[in-house]
Amino acid sequence: MLLKVKNLKVFYGRVEAVHGVDFHVEEGEVVTIIGNNGAGKSSILRAISGVVKGVTGAMYFNGKLINEMNPAHVVKLGIAQTPEGRQVFPDSTVYENLIGGAYIRSDKQGIKDDIEKCYDLFPILKVRRKQKAGLMSGGEQQMLAIARSLMSNPKLLMLDEPSLGLAPVVVEDVYETIAKIKKTGTSILLVEQNANTALSVADRGYVLVTGTIGTEGTSEELLSNDEIRSLYMGV
């Protein structure tokens, strides 16, 4: 088991945002956590990344307890997060952003090879490689943010709302690339409000309702669940 989370609670001061959730991700698997805005999805990713410190419970990565580990060590273990809202470095070029994603690495040839792999996944990044990231469209910035995360060569890629604020045609492009990343064997933990799109690429899913997991199952099970379809897919 690549990632195992047991009884995770996340606090912001005295406010408990996540109420004791359990879930796991197997190696090579895509798992999605779906839920409405404010359900606590992003808080779970921040806890795993080490960004949030008000955390109880246990988080294991490759059998190693990662509670209270600082974010740089989490990345070195093999976990990379693409944050909500993209958060590219706007005054740096596309190439400089990609190099920034490899800050934990010293293998120059490997870094060079992985930049080419990112260009293969997202051809527009090669075209825009000398352009400042802040001048790119939202979809292009999302592609850059994912590519930058891949530059740390992660075992687990965590994506926080990759469809947020994007036009449907751009969301389709982004998710086609997520499907390609899946085929490389990289495990993915995907947080989304867009349940139908997320479940289209995921193997399994968890439904988070106000900080608690209410339903879980395979993507097929969740896609055929009438309550899930009514609440999260508008069907």
Side-chain angles (χ1 to χ4, degrees), residues 34-101:
I34 59 176
N36 291 327
N37 188 35
K41 306 184 304 297
S42 295
S43 293
I44 291 172
L45 297 194
R46 293 187 190 116
I48 296 167
S49 292
V51 176
V52 176
K53 297 304 178 187
V55 173
T56 64
M59 300 176 290
Y60 297 93
F61 186 71
N62 266 337
K64 186 179 181 67
L65 186 68
I66 61 172
N67 288 49
E68 300 183 8
M69 191 174 286
N70 72 51
H73 285 157
V74 172
V75 174
K76 287 179 181 177
L77 273 183
I79 300 175
Q81 180 177 346
T82 303
E84 180 183 342
R86 301 177 278 277
Q87 297 183 27
V88 297
F89 303 120
D91 294 325
S92 298
T93 65
V94 166
Y95 176 80
E96 289 166 344
N97 269 268
L98 293 175
I99 289 293

Side-chain angles (χ1 to χ4, degrees), residues 207-219:
V207 180
L208 196 67
V209 183
T210 58
T212 303
I213 289 174
T215 309
E216 62 181 272
T218 66
S219 293

Side-chain angles (χ1 to χ4, degrees), residues 178-186:
I178 292 171
K180 290 178 184 177
I181 295 169
K182 176 182 180 179
K183 288 180 180 178
T184 69
T186 302

Side-chain angles (χ1 to χ4, degrees), residues 24-214:
H24 69 278
V25 179
E26 300 284 356
E27 195 164 341
E29 191 177 37
V30 177
V31 172
T32 186
I33 300 174
I34 59 176
N36 291 327
N37 188 35
K41 306 184 304 297
S42 295
S43 293
I44 291 172
L45 297 194
R46 293 187 190 116
I48 296 167
S49 292
V51 176
V52 176
K53 297 304 178 187
V55 173
T56 64
M59 300 176 290
Y60 297 93
F61 186 71
N62 266 337
K64 186 179 181 67
L65 186 68
I66 61 172
N67 288 49
E68 300 183 8
M69 191 174 286
N70 72 51
H73 285 157
V74 172
V75 174
K76 287 179 181 177
L77 273 183
I79 300 175
Q81 180 177 346
T82 303
E84 180 183 342
R86 301 177 278 277
Q87 297 183 27
V88 297
F89 303 120
D91 294 325
S92 298
T93 65
V94 166
Y95 176 80
E96 289 166 344
N97 269 268
L98 293 175
I99 289 293
Y103 75 98
I104 64 166
R105 301 172 59 181
S106 58
D107 55 324
K108 291 184 179 180
Q109 186 58 49
I111 291 170
K112 184 177 179 181
D113 291 344
D114 284 346
I115 286 178
E116 290 302 320
K117 289 178 184 177
C118 287
Y119 289 158
D120 288 341
L121 275 173
F122 301 104
I124 191 63
L125 298 185
K126 188 169 188 176
V127 176
R128 301 272 197 268
R129 63 189 181 278
K130 296 181 180 179
Q131 182 176 325
K132 287 187 176 181
L135 300 177
M136 300 170 76
S137 70
E140 290 167 348
Q141 288 185 14
Q142 183 63 68
M143 294 173 189
L144 176 56
I146 294 172
R148 183 181 61 187
S149 297
L150 290 172
M151 286 302 300
S152 67
N153 199 19
K155 297 181 180 71
L156 176 65
L157 175 64
M158 302 197 301
L159 301 173
D160 193 352
E161 301 281 8
S163 71
L164 188 66
L166 302 182
V169 66
V170 179
V171 172
E172 187 174 329
D173 288 342
V174 168
Y175 267 83
E176 283 179 3
T177 305
I178 292 171
K180 290 178 184 177
I181 295 169
K182 176 182 180 179
K183 288 180 180 178
T184 69
T186 302
S187 302
I188 299 173
L189 178 58
L190 170 63
V191 155
E192 266 286 11
Q193 290 186 60
N194 191 335
N196 197 46
T197 303
L199 290 168
S200 72
V201 298
D203 298 296
R204 296 186 298 108
Y206 298 86
V207 180
L208 196 67
V209 183
T210 58
T212 303
I213 289 174

